[in-house]
Amino acid sequence: ILLRYRFTPYLYSAEYEASQTGAPIMRALVYDFQNDPKAWEESFEFLFGRDILVANVLEEGAKTRTVYLPAGCKWYDWNDKFRCYEGGQTIEVPVTLASIPMFLRGSAVVVTTEDVKHILRDTMRQIDLLVAAETDTSFVLYDDDGHTEDYKNGVYAKTTITVKAGDRTDIRFATEGSYESPVERMTLKLVSKKKGALWASVDGQQLPQYIVRDGWEAAESGWYYNLPDRTIWVKFAKPAKKDFTVTVSTEKFDLIGMAED
């Protein structure tokens, strides 16, 4: 149940997409992977939105789950420190009563929050983005007051998050609509299996680097490379303006963090 509430912004955005385009929230693999014959007959796995593959455990007492990962992209195991798998293969993963096998698409944006435990009572002050940038990708984050029909008069916030992949990963946020979002803070985790960052910035303003996690968690803003799952963590106050860009540089650098030619 708590996991479901964490996914509130991602789910609400998927509901908005479904209302506009008809794209289902729960999708058969063939919906997105029509060129992969092995995805045509898969009946038990599904996509949650575009970017998360779910392989529910259906057998009582199961200790493992066989999962087919569609061809055409990499997949990161949500439950195993984002372990990377090439698509187009069948793997076997351990499972328990407490786990739901889930995999992040190689190019993805997933927005979650820790603030919502009760939809009608809690206010979302912080959002957390998980980004994988194998290739360029995008995601539309939708929000409104959740209660009235004011959205029909433009009182909504539709933020297009555009990811430009590369040695400098640019994550651009462009918002339309007049809804004043209560979100004040943002964190971003960028999957980066090969190495950490050289620097990170918000609209050209570089953020301080933290070598240890405790320092990053205590800070108001900054970035940190989390070695256990090899993700770059960035935190910052949400800019007041509607359009801004977060940049994470993983350009080649030496052991003391100096850029190389």
Side-chain angles (χ1 to χ4, degrees):
I1 293 173
L2 292 176
L3 179 62
R4 187 259 186 227
Y5 281 121
R6 281 181 57 202
F7 277 115
T8 295
Y10 182 77
L11 177 58
Y12 202 51
S13 299
E15 291 169 341
Y16 170 77
E17 180 187 16
S19 73
Q20 298 298 302
T21 69
I25 299 168
M26 181 179 175
R27 309 178 182 185
L29 299 191
V30 70
Y31 187 89
D32 277 73
F33 296 95
Q34 298 182 19
N35 295 323
D36 183 351
K38 290 186 177 180
W40 298 350
E41 302 301 326
E42 176 55 56
S43 300
F44 300 106
E45 299 172 24
F46 64 91
L47 294 171
F48 172 31
R50 176 188 176 274
D51 291 333
I52 301 174
L53 185 151
V54 181
N56 282 337
V57 179
L58 304 175
E59 295 80 23
E60 182 179 0
K63 302 298 183 183
T64 62
R65 171 66 152 92
T66 299
V67 182
Y68 177 68
L69 301 173
C73 65
K74 293 182 172 65
W75 295 93
Y76 298 102
D77 189 337
W78 195 286
N79 298 313
D80 188 15
K81 300 177 181 178
F82 300 114
R83 179 179 177 181
C84 184
Y85 293 94
E86 291 291 337
Q89 64 172 317
T90 299
I91 63 171
E92 188 173 62
V93 296
V95 296
T96 69
L97 284 173
S99 67
I100 302 173
M102 299 191 300
F103 295 83
L104 180 73
R105 190 193 285 251
S107 300
V109 177
V110 175
V111 184
T112 60
T113 184
E114 298 289 344
D115 290 344
V116 178
K117 304 296 188 297
H118 188 288
I119 292 293
L120 297 179
R121 182 185 63 216
D122 296 337
T123 300
M124 189 168 61
R125 303 290 183 187
Q126 177 172 310
I127 57 172
D128 308 307
L129 288 84
L130 176 61
V131 177
E134 180 184 6
T135 60
D136 295 353
T137 190
S138 64
F139 177 77
V140 175
L141 175 65
Y142 179 84
D143 198 12
D144 56 30
D145 64 22
H147 306 292
T148 72
E149 294 189 347
D150 288 350
Y151 68 90
K152 294 180 178 179
N153 298 315
V155 186
Y156 59 81
K158 186 171 75 171
T159 303
T160 301
I161 304 170
T162 305
V163 179
K164 182 174 176 56
D167 288 338
R168 290 191 182 186
T169 303
D170 287 323
I171 303 102
R172 177 170 174 76
F173 299 77
T175 302
E176 59 182 90
S178 61
Y179 178 64
E180 294 295 333
S181 171
V183 172
E184 300 169 347
R185 301 201 54 78
M186 303 176 68
T187 71
L188 185 151
K189 293 184 179 180
L190 174 66
V191 178
S192 182
K193 291 297 181 180
K194 293 182 179 179
K195 58 183 176 180
L198 178 60
W199 53 265
S201 69
V202 177
D203 257 4
Q205 183 67 41
Q206 290 202 18
L207 301 174
Q209 177 186 6
Y210 291 89
I211 304 300
V212 296
R213 178 172 176 173
D214 287 350
W216 181 86
E217 289 182 341
E220 288 296 313
S221 63
W223 69 270
Y224 159 74
Y225 186 52
N226 189 53
L227 193 58
D229 64 8
R230 296 185 181 272
T231 55
I232 300 165
W233 297 8
V234 184
K235 67 190 303 187
F236 53 94
K238 181 185 175 185
K241 61 182 184 177
K242 290 189 173 184
D243 297 353
F244 62 93
T245 300
V246 177
T247 301
V248 179
S249 169
T250 55
E251 296 164 276
K252 190 176 181 181
F253 58 90
D254 62 23
L255 292 178
I256 60 173
M258 302 297 291
E260 295 183 354
D261 294 332

